[in-house]
Coordinates of all heavy atoms in Angstrom, one line a residue:
K583 N 58.4 40.6 118.9 CA 59.5 41.4 118.8 C 60.2 41.4 117.4 O 60.9 42.3 117.1 CB 60.6 41.0 119.8 CG 60.1 41.1 121.3 CD 59.8 42.5 121.6 CE 59.4 42.6 123.1 NZ 58.8 43.8 123.5
H612 N 29.4 48.6 102.4 CA 30.6 47.8 102.1 C 31.8 48.6 101.7 O 32.9 48.4 102.1 CB 30.2 46.8 100.9 CG 31.3 46.0 100.4 ND1 31.7 44.8 101.1 CD2 32.1 46.1 99.3 CE1 32.7 44.3 100.4 NE2 32.9 45.0 99.4
K628 N 52.7 51.7 108.5 CA 53.6 52.9 108.7 C 54.0 53.1 110.2 O 54.9 53.9 110.5 CB 52.9 54.2 108.2 CG 52.7 54.2 106.7 CD 51.9 55.4 106.3 CE 51.6 55.4 104.8 NZ 50.7 56.5 104.4
R630 N 55.9 53.0 113.3 CA 57.3 52.8 113.5 C 57.6 51.9 114.7 O 58.4 51.0 114.7 CB 58.0 54.1 113.7 CG 58.1 54.9 112.4 CD 59.2 56.0 112.5 NE 59.4 56.6 111.2 CZ 59.0 57.8 110.9 NH1 58.5 58.6 111.9 NH2 59.2 58.3 109.7
D631 N 56.9 52.2 115.8 CA 57.2 51.5 117.1 C 56.1 50.5 117.3 O 55.1 50.7 118.0 CB 57.2 52.5 118.2 CG 57.6 51.9 119.6 OD1 58.3 50.8 119.5 OD2 57.3 52.5 120.6
D637 N 49.3 42.6 121.2 CA 48.4 41.8 120.3 C 48.1 42.6 119.1 O 47.3 43.5 119.1 CB 47.1 41.5 121.1 CG 46.2 40.5 120.3 OD1 46.4 40.4 119.1 OD2 45.3 39.9 120.9
F642 N 44.9 46.2 115.5 CA 44.4 46.4 114.1 C 42.9 46.6 114.2 O 42.3 47.5 113.6 CB 44.8 45.3 113.2 CG 44.4 45.4 111.8 CD1 44.5 46.5 111.1 CD2 43.9 44.2 111.1 CE1 44.0 46.6 109.7 CE2 43.4 44.3 109.8 CZ 43.5 45.5 109.1
N647 N 38.1 49.9 114.2 CA 36.8 50.3 114.9 C 36.8 51.8 115.3 O 35.8 52.4 115.1 CB 36.7 49.4 116.2 CG 35.4 49.6 116.8 OD1 34.3 49.5 116.2 ND2 35.4 50.1 118.1
Q655 N 30.6 59.5 113.4 CA 30.4 60.8 114.0 C 30.5 61.9 112.9 O 29.6 62.8 113.0 CB 31.5 61.1 115.0 CG 31.3 60.3 116.3 CD 32.5 60.5 117.3 OE1 33.6 60.8 116.9 NE2 32.2 60.3 118.6
D680 N 28.5 82.9 99.7 CA 28.6 83.8 98.6 C 28.5 85.2 99.2 O 27.5 85.5 99.9 CB 27.5 83.6 97.6 CG 27.4 84.5 96.5 OD1 27.4 85.8 96.7 OD2 27.4 84.1 95.3
R692 N 17.8 92.7 108.6 CA 17.6 94.0 109.1 C 16.2 94.5 108.9 O 15.6 95.1 109.8 CB 18.6 95.0 108.4 CG 18.6 96.4 109.0 CD 19.7 97.3 108.3 NE 19.4 97.5 106.9 CZ 18.5 98.2 106.4 NH1 17.6 98.9 107.1 NH2 18.4 98.4 105.1
R695 N 14.0 92.8 111.4 CA 14.2 93.5 112.7 C 13.4 94.8 112.8 O 12.8 95.1 113.8 CB 15.6 93.7 113.0 CG 16.2 92.6 113.9 CD 17.6 92.9 114.4 NE 18.5 92.1 113.6 CZ 19.4 92.5 112.7 NH1 19.6 93.8 112.5 NH2 20.1 91.7 112.0
A697 N 10.8 95.7 111.0 CA 9.4 95.5 111.0 C 8.9 95.0 112.3 O 7.9 95.5 112.8 CB 9.0 94.4 109.9
P702 N 3.6 97.1 117.8 CA 3.3 97.4 119.2 C 4.0 96.3 120.1 O 4.2 95.2 119.7 CB 1.8 97.3 119.3 CG 1.3 97.4 117.9 CD 2.4 96.9 117.0
R706 N 4.7 92.3 119.2 CA 6.1 91.8 119.1 C 6.4 90.7 120.1 O 6.9 89.7 119.8 CB 7.1 93.0 119.2 CG 8.5 92.5 119.1 CD 9.5 93.7 119.1 NE 9.4 94.6 120.2 CZ 8.9 95.8 120.2 NH1 8.4 96.3 119.0 NH2 8.8 96.6 121.2
L710 N 7.4 86.8 119.3 CA 8.7 86.2 119.8 C 8.4 85.0 120.7 O 9.2 84.1 120.6 CB 9.5 87.3 120.5 CG 10.0 88.4 119.5 CD1 10.8 89.5 120.3 CD2 11.0 87.8 118.4
S718 N 2.9 77.6 122.6 CA 1.6 77.5 121.9 C 0.8 78.7 122.1 O 1.1 79.5 123.0 CB 0.9 76.2 122.4 OG 0.4 76.5 123.7
R739 N -1.1 89.9 112.8 CA -0.5 91.2 112.6 C 1.0 91.2 112.4 O 1.6 91.8 111.5 CB -0.9 92.1 113.8 CG -0.7 93.5 113.6 CD -1.3 94.2 114.8 NE -1.1 95.7 114.7 CZ -1.3 96.5 115.6 NH1 -1.9 96.2 116.8 NH2 -1.1 97.8 115.4

Side-chain angles (χ1 to χ4, degrees):
K583 300 295 181 194
H612 176 78
K628 292 176 184 175
R630 288 199 175 110
D631 184 24
D637 186 342
F642 180 45
N647 184 58
Q655 286 175 334
D680 178 308
R692 187 178 61 74
R695 261 187 258 116
R706 181 174 52 254
L710 293 174
S718 70
R739 193 172 178 188

